[in-house]
C-alpha cells in the first residue's frame, strides 16, 4: 500500500458538497470540548442543545419497564409490530392529545420528529420548492439540501442561506410571524410553533392566516409541534388541526422527546389527514404509509409502552410536572437576562429564550459567554441568516445548573 489513501470508484453524492458546514449541534459540542481542554478546571454548564436532563417520572418509567418485562415472557413477547404503530397508542394520541380532532388511522407512530422530517423530505423528493421561517430548526434546510430540494450555500458559509430556499424572516419587528405576502412560489412551508429557536408561539389568528395562505397557493404546511405541550396560554392552539381548513393543507410532526424526556428513548408521530392530497389526487397518507412500511419497521415496542403510560391520567400529570420544571428554568434564565438588560424573547410558551447581542456576530457572543462564564449557548446564526447577533438559551437543564449559569452571566456580563 502506498501513501495515497485507497479510494473506491463510487462518486460522492454531490448534494453533500452543497452543505456549507457540519450539523450545528456537533459544532457547538466541538467548541465546548476545545474550551474544556484549554480550561480543564472549568465546570461547563450547557444551555445549548435542547436535551432533556431530568429522570423519567415514575409512572412512565414503569410503563417502559413493563414493556421490557413483557418481552421476556412467552405470552408477552412480540417482534416486528405494525409499521404505523400500536393501535392502542395511535388511539390514545388521537384521543388524549388531539381530543378526537383527528382519527387514530391518521397517526403514524415513529422513532421521533427529526427522523420523520427526514423521511418526509425523502417522500417529497428533490422537485419541491421550500419555504422556511428564518430562523428555523436546521433540519428543515439541511435535510432539504440532502434530499436535493435545495442547492448550495449562497455565501459559502451558510450564513447567507441556501439557493432554492425561500427564507421568511421572523424577527421582533414582525412579532416572529412572517410576511406571507412576500413569499415566492413554494410547495412546502415548514412552520414550527412553539418555535425553535425564537420561543415565539403563533396565535390562532396567525395560524388561520397561514392556513388561508397555504390554501390560496395550494401548498402544504409541514407543521412541527414538538413543543406543543409547553404552551401554557389556553388561547394558543396546540395543533394546526385546531384551525379550520388545515386538514387539506397540513401535516403535523410531533414527539414525546420534550414533554416526557424521551430524547434518548425515541418516540414521536406524524399526523397525515385523510383529506391531504397531491395535485394528482393521490392521498399524501398513501405515500407516507409506503415510506413508513418500506423504510421504517415500527417504533420500539418498549418505547411505545412508555408512550402509552404517558397518556394515562397519571402519566399526563407527570408530563405536566416535567414541562413545569423546565418552564421554571426558562423563567430563571429570562429573569437573569432581564436584570442584565439583554433584549430577549420567548420562554413563556416555549423552553427557549432568544436573546439579542447587538454589535457582535452570534459566534462571537457564543465564544464570549463560553470564555467568560463557561456557559454553552447556541448561536442564532446556526438557525438561519435572520438569527445573526442572537443566541438561543435552552431551558433544559438541572435547576441548580441553570441558576449557577445565570449567576455567572450576571457577574461577568455587566
Ligand atoms: N423538531 C424540533 C423543532 C426540535 O427542536 C427538535 C429537537 C426535534 C424536532 C427533534 O425531535 P425528536 O423527536 O427528538 O427527533 N431539537 C433540539 C435537539 C437538536 C437536534 O438536532 O434535534 C434542539 O436543540 O434544537
Amino acid at each position: 500500500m502506498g501513501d495515497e489513501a485507497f479510494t473506491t470508484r463510487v462518486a460522492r453524492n454531490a448534494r453533500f458538497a452543497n452543505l456549507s458546514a457540519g450539523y450545528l449541534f456537533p459544532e457547538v459540542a466541538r467548541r465546548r470540548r476545545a474550551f474544556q481542554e484549554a480550561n480543564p478546571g472549568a465546570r461547563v454548564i450547557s444551555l445549548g442543545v435542547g436535551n432533556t436532563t431530568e429522570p423519567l417520572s415514575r409512572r412512565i418509567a414503569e410503563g417502559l419497564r413493563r414493556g421490557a418485562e413483557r418481552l421476556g415472557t412467552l405470552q408477552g413477547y412480540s417482534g416486528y409490530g405494525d409499521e404505523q404503530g400500536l393501535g392502542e397508542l395511535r388511539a390514545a394520541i388521537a384521543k388524549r392529545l388531539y381530543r378526537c380532532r383527528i382519527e387514530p388511522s391518521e397517526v403514524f407512530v415513529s422513532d421521533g420528529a427529526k427522523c420523520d422530517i427526514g423521511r418526509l423530505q425523502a417522500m417529497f423528493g428533490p422537485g419541491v420548492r421550500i419555504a422556511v421561517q428564518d430562523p428555523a430548526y436546521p433540519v428543515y434546510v439541511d435535510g432539504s439540501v440532502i434530499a436535493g430540494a435545495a442547492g448550495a450555500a449562497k455565501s459559502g458559509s451558510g450564513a447567507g442561506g441556501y439557493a432554492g430556499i425561500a427564507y421568511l424572516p421572523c424577527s421582533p419587528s414582525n412579532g416572529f410571524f412572517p410576511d406571507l405576502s412576500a413569499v415566492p412560489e413554494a410547495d412546502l412551508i415548514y412552520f414550527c410553533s412553539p418555535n425553535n429557536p425564537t420561543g415565539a408561539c403563533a396565535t390562532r389568528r396567525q395560524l388561520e392566516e397561514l392556513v388561508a395562505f397555504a390554501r390560496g397557493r395550494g401548498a402544504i404546511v409541514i407543521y412541527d409541534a414538538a413543543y406543543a405541550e409547553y404552551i401554557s396560554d389556553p388561547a394558543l392552539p396546540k395543533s394546526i388541526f385546531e384551525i379550520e381548513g388545515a386538514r387539506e393543507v397540513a401535516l403535523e410532526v410531533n414527539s414525546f422527546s420534550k414533554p416526557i424526556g424521551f430524547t434518548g428513548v425515541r418516540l414521536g408521530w406524524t399526523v397525515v389527514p385523510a383529506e391531504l392530497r397531491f395535485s394528482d389526487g393521490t392521498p399524501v397518507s398513501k405515500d407516507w404509509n409506503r415510506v413508513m412500511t418500506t423504510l421504517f419497521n415500527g417504533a420500539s415496542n418498549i418505547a411505545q409502552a412508555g408512550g402509552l403510560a404517558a397518556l394515562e391520567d397519571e402519566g399526563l400529570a407527570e408530563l405536566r410536572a416535567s414541562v413545569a420544571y423546565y418552564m421554571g428554568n426558562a423563567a430563571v434564565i429570562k429573569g437573569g437576562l432581564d436584570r442584565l438588560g439583554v433584549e430577549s424573547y420567548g420562554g413563556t410558551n416555549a423552553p427557549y429564550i432568544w436573546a439579542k447581542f447587538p454589535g457582535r456576530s452570534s459566534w462571537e457572543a457564543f465564544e464570549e459567554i463560553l470564555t467568560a462564564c463557561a456557559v454553552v449557548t447556541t448561536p442564532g446564526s446556526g438557525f438561519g441568516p435572520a438569527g445573526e447577533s442572537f443566541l438561543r438559551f435552552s431551558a433544559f437543564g438541572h435547576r441548580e445548573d441553570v441558576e449557577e449559569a445565570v449567576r455567572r452571566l450576571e457577574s461577568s456580563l455587566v
Side-chain angles (χ1 to χ4, degrees):
M1 284 198 286
D3 290 343
E4 295 258 313
F6 179 83
T7 59
T8 67
R9 297 179 56 203
V10 180
R12 184 186 188 201
N13 178 345
R15 293 168 186 171
F16 285 84
N18 284 338
L19 291 165
S20 63
Y23 187 58
L24 175 61
F25 295 102
E27 174 59 19
V28 169
R30 193 189 64 75
R31 294 195 187 215
R32 174 193 177 148
R33 276 195 306 278
F35 173 80
Q36 188 73 77
E37 273 162 31
N39 303 272
R43 194 175 80 79
V44 178
I45 297 175
S46 175
L47 303 179
V49 65
N51 198 358
T52 46
T53 55
E54 301 312 295
L56 295 176
S57 52
R58 193 183 62 80
R59 177 84 192 156
I60 296 169
E62 205 176 285
L64 287 174
R65 213 162 23 241
R66 277 203 310 267
E69 276 163 9
R70 265 200 303 276
L71 294 181
T73 67
L74 186 59
Q75 304 77 13
Y77 177 77
S78 61
Y80 294 126
D82 291 339
E83 293 92 341
Q84 303 83 356
L86 279 175
E88 212 183 335
L89 179 59
R90 301 171 84 190
I93 289 171
K95 180 165 177 224
R96 311 239 51 185
L97 298 178
Y98 290 87
R99 302 201 191 134
C100 300
R101 237 181 226 108
I102 56 160
E103 292 297 320
S105 59
E106 297 172 324
V107 178
F108 295 79
V109 176
S110 75
D111 53 350
K114 190 189 212 173
C115 323
D116 275 351
I117 295 164
R119 285 184 289 256
L120 284 166
Q121 289 162 338
M123 178 182 75
F124 284 111
V128 282
R129 294 157 301 182
I130 308 289
V132 291
Q133 287 165 293
D134 177 20
Y137 179 43
V139 175
Y140 310 149
V141 168
D142 292 12
S144 296
V145 174
I146 292 173
K154 283 180 194 155
S155 67
S157 71
Y162 285 90
I165 296 219
Y167 289 82
L168 316 179
C170 294
S171 64
S173 65
N174 59 14
F176 297 102
F177 187 78
D179 174 6
L180 295 174
S181 68
V183 179
E185 290 292 292
D187 301 307
L188 299 182
I189 306 154
Y190 287 90
F191 198 93
C192 177
S193 180
N195 192 262
N196 172 17
T198 65
C201 188
T203 63
R204 180 170 298 277
R205 185 175 297 220
Q206 288 171 335
L207 293 183
E208 283 167 355
E209 199 185 310
L210 178 67
V211 166
F213 171 79
R215 293 183 72 95
R217 294 282 182 95
I220 292 179
V221 177
I222 297 183
Y223 193 78
D224 188 336
Y227 301 97
E229 294 305 324
Y230 284 80
I231 296 176
S232 57
D233 181 345
L236 296 170
K238 283 187 168 181
S239 164
I240 190 70
F241 301 119
E242 292 182 39
I243 308 302
E244 212 180 300
R247 291 178 58 84
E248 288 87 3
V249 290
L251 53 81
E252 181 167 303
V253 295
N254 213 320
S255 175
F256 283 99
S257 285
K258 309 303 162 96
I260 58 169
F262 267 24
T263 45
V265 174
R266 309 304 306 148
L267 191 66
W269 70 93
T270 289
V271 178
V272 186
E275 293 89 333
L276 185 66
R277 290 173 190 279
F278 290 109
S279 58
D280 70 354
T282 307
V284 173
S285 60
K286 180 173 190 240
D287 286 0
W288 183 240
N289 192 58
R290 185 71 162 90
V291 169
M292 293 305 272
T293 50
T294 310
L295 303 177
F296 186 61
N297 243 342
S300 148
N301 40 20
I302 301 173
Q304 293 190 80
L308 262 176
L311 298 179
E312 289 166 9
D313 288 343
E314 234 180 287
L316 283 170
E318 290 178 359
L319 177 156
R320 284 190 282 275
S322 160
V323 165
Y325 179 86
Y326 292 122
M327 287 311 289
N329 289 348
V332 170
I333 297 167
K334 206 155 168 59
L337 292 172
D338 285 351
R339 287 191 294 279
L340 279 163
V342 174
E343 184 184 332
S344 76
Y345 304 88
T348 50
N349 292 290
Y352 295 120
I353 294 102
W354 187 238
K356 176 112 201 228
F357 290 84
R360 280 156 281 189
S361 75
S362 295
W363 280 113
E364 283 164 356
F366 169 91
E367 290 289 351
E368 197 177 312
I369 290 180
L370 181 59
T371 309
C373 312
V375 170
V376 176
T377 57
T378 307
S381 57
F383 299 95
E388 192 57 278
S389 290
F390 282 89
L391 288 179
R392 188 192 79 174
F393 290 79
S394 158
F396 295 104
H398 302 307
R399 179 66 50 84
E400 55 278 21
D401 285 348
V402 171
E403 284 169 347
E404 168 65 13
V406 168
R407 270 195 296 275
R408 291 183 196 172
L409 291 173
E410 289 194 76
S411 60
S412 309
L413 296 187
V414 268

